[in-house]
Amino acid sequence: MEPQREWFEKDYYKILGVAEDASASAITKAYRKLAKKLHPDANPGDSAVENRFKEVASAYDVLGDADKRKAYDDVRKLGPMAGAFGPGGPGPAGGFNVNFEQMGDLQNLFGDLFGRRRRRGNTAQPGADIETEVKLDFADAVSGTVVAVPVTGEARCRTCDGSGAEPPAKPRPCPTCSGTGVTDENQGLFSFSRPCNACAGRAVVIDEPCSACRGRGVEHRQREVQARIPSGVTDGQRIRLKGRGGPSQGPGGQPGDLYVRIGVRPHRLFGRDGKNLTLKVPVTFSEAALGAHVKVPTLDDSTVTIRIPPGTTTGRRLRIPASASTGGADLIVEVEVVVPENLSDEQRAAVEAFAAAPGEDPRTHLRPRSAKQGGSS
């Protein structure tokens, strides 16, 4: 974070009328109040108010940003030394003679504030994030897979490999900024870094631009990215592939990320309940009443046998522990008792005999209380 000259000359907290330990919300509230009062539309033709409005906006631009505010506060820790910046400060002709080697931690502070960008020597813009979509079969979404994701957009130029120079030529370090991408502007005691005008902050000069990308280092084309999809992904979920997005604008920059939105095709039999698979299994009336062993399909087209306990009713859920055949997920079997619509004569006789036999009344709880107790109302 590079400080500006006026950071040493103006008290932004005083301009906004807030304390130095004011919260971010308090700073925003104070700015909005002043901006509404001083806005040029509310004070047409008043140049003094307009200048005050600009001053308030500049103060909020710094204090309203957490990183800028921290850097500003670090500069203000210098106390009276801040007045040494520019004309009017202590020392001859407004200068200030300081031996930074004797200042201990203060030397580190200046190094952090003013030298970090120059040491880094990289002003390339990071690449853009890209989002695309891929459709998966149900089984692949459950067990996980690797897919080739097609991506159309800017990619590293295949002709120059992203250098921007026509092969076999190579970019050379900018002679103006010595390959740092920034130039220093001395302001008395302090030195401010600015993007180099000669190379536009790229740190290199290209004498012979690439004929394919015209020196940009990127081209618009389709490419494929191998994406590892973890097991258990759901429809609509996004997978982040770090560094597989758009290329950086300039040498040495970080590429963007690729976000893959997952679409899952429905299965004709299975469903999902969180991390579990679900399957509805129909059983006959006799199987539900007497109990039975029933074979049910699994995700890998094999079968597994489950036990239906006697007296099972519709909606009862039975769990099959996770295995390779279930894609590593538990299989929840939901029982559905099927009532036949058409009975043969033999079946009808059997059901009528069952109905005539003494048995428990399933509607006892629906009777009036007096009827249950054998009394009269």
Side-chain angles (χ1 to χ4, degrees):
M1 186 65 60
E2 295 184 8
Q4 306 297 319
R5 179 190 183 102
E6 66 177 21
W7 288 18
F8 300 89
E9 302 172 344
K10 295 185 178 181
D11 185 343
Y12 288 150
Y13 292 101
K14 186 175 180 180
I15 290 174
L16 292 182
V18 296
E20 294 188 5
D21 59 352
S23 64
S25 60
I27 290 174
T28 300
K29 183 177 180 181
Y31 164 71
R32 289 177 177 173
K33 182 178 179 181
L34 289 172
K36 182 177 180 181
K37 177 182 177 182
L38 301 172
H39 198 279
D41 292 343
N43 302 273
D46 192 332
S47 58
V49 174
E50 183 178 352
N51 290 335
R52 170 78 171 131
F53 175 79
K54 293 179 180 178
E55 191 177 46
V56 167
S58 296
Y60 182 68
D61 180 63
V62 174
L63 299 186
D65 183 288
D67 292 334
K68 289 183 180 179
R69 182 181 181 183
K70 182 181 183 304
Y72 175 71
D73 289 342
D74 288 341
V75 169
R76 285 171 55 83
K77 290 177 183 178
L78 299 177
M81 286 185 57
F85 183 84
F96 194 86
N97 298 321
V98 179
N99 184 353
F100 284 97
E101 293 182 358
Q102 297 177 1
M103 296 178 66
D105 292 338
L106 194 57
Q107 183 182 10
N108 295 331
L109 171 62
F110 276 94
D112 287 341
L113 289 177
F114 302 100
R116 185 175 295 147
R117 184 177 182 182
R118 182 166 58 257
R119 288 195 302 270
R120 186 168 63 244
N122 178 16
T123 58
Q125 296 181 359
D129 292 340
I130 299 176
E131 182 167 329
T132 188
E133 184 177 7
V134 66
K135 283 285 189 180
L136 299 179
D137 288 335
F138 186 90
D140 289 335
V142 172
S143 59
T145 186
V146 176
V147 296
V149 180
V151 180
T152 301
E154 288 194 333
R156 183 186 295 272
C157 176
R158 290 170 291 188
T159 300
C160 65
D161 196 29
S163 71
E166 182 73 16
K170 299 290 184 182
R172 58 185 176 88
C174 174
T176 302
C177 62
S178 300
T180 64
V182 295
T183 55
D184 294 334
E185 179 182 341
N186 293 320
Q187 297 284 349
L189 174 64
F190 302 102
S191 176
F192 292 90
S193 296
R194 301 182 183 279
C196 176
N197 291 328
C199 64
R202 297 187 65 183
V204 296
V205 174
I206 299 175
D207 297 315
E208 188 178 352
C210 172
S211 57
C213 65
R214 299 181 181 180
R216 295 179 61 239
V218 296
E219 61 181 346
H220 190 86
R221 60 181 171 87
Q222 187 178 59
R223 57 191 171 97
E224 281 192 350
V225 176
Q226 295 296 315
R228 182 175 296 278
I229 308 299
S231 61
V233 294
T234 57
D235 189 67
Q237 185 174 341
R238 289 203 318 169
I239 305 297
R240 178 191 178 207
L241 302 179
K242 184 175 177 59
R244 307 307 298 271
S248 65
Q249 300 298 313
Q254 294 296 320
D257 297 334
L258 176 63
Y259 290 89
V260 180
R261 186 175 295 277
I262 304 298
V264 180
R265 299 184 184 94
H267 196 280
R268 68 181 186 88
L269 295 177
F270 296 96
R272 297 281 291 277
D273 182 6
K275 296 182 178 181
N276 300 321
L277 292 176
T278 60
L279 175 67
K280 285 189 176 182
V281 176
V283 299
T284 65
F285 168 77
S286 59
E287 289 173 333
L290 303 176
H293 288 82
V294 177
K295 288 185 177 182
V296 299
T298 58
L299 199 57
D300 65 352
D301 292 331
S302 61
T303 60
V304 62
T305 300
I306 62 171
R307 177 178 175 271
I308 306 295
T312 294
T313 57
T314 291
R316 182 166 182 176
R317 293 162 70 92
L318 306 173
R319 181 182 297 269
I320 299 176
S323 65
S325 63
T326 62
D330 287 356
L331 175 60
I332 306 299
V333 174
E334 183 175 329
V335 176
E336 183 179 18
V337 180
V338 177
V339 177
E341 296 181 0
N342 300 302
L343 298 175
S344 65
D345 292 341
E346 184 180 0
Q347 290 173 330
R348 179 176 295 277
V351 173
E352 288 176 347
F354 173 81
E360 181 180 354
D361 186 349
R363 294 181 291 277
T364 301
H365 65 289
L366 300 179
R367 296 177 182 176
R369 185 177 301 273
S370 58
K372 291 181 183 180
Q373 297 173 350
S376 60
S377 56

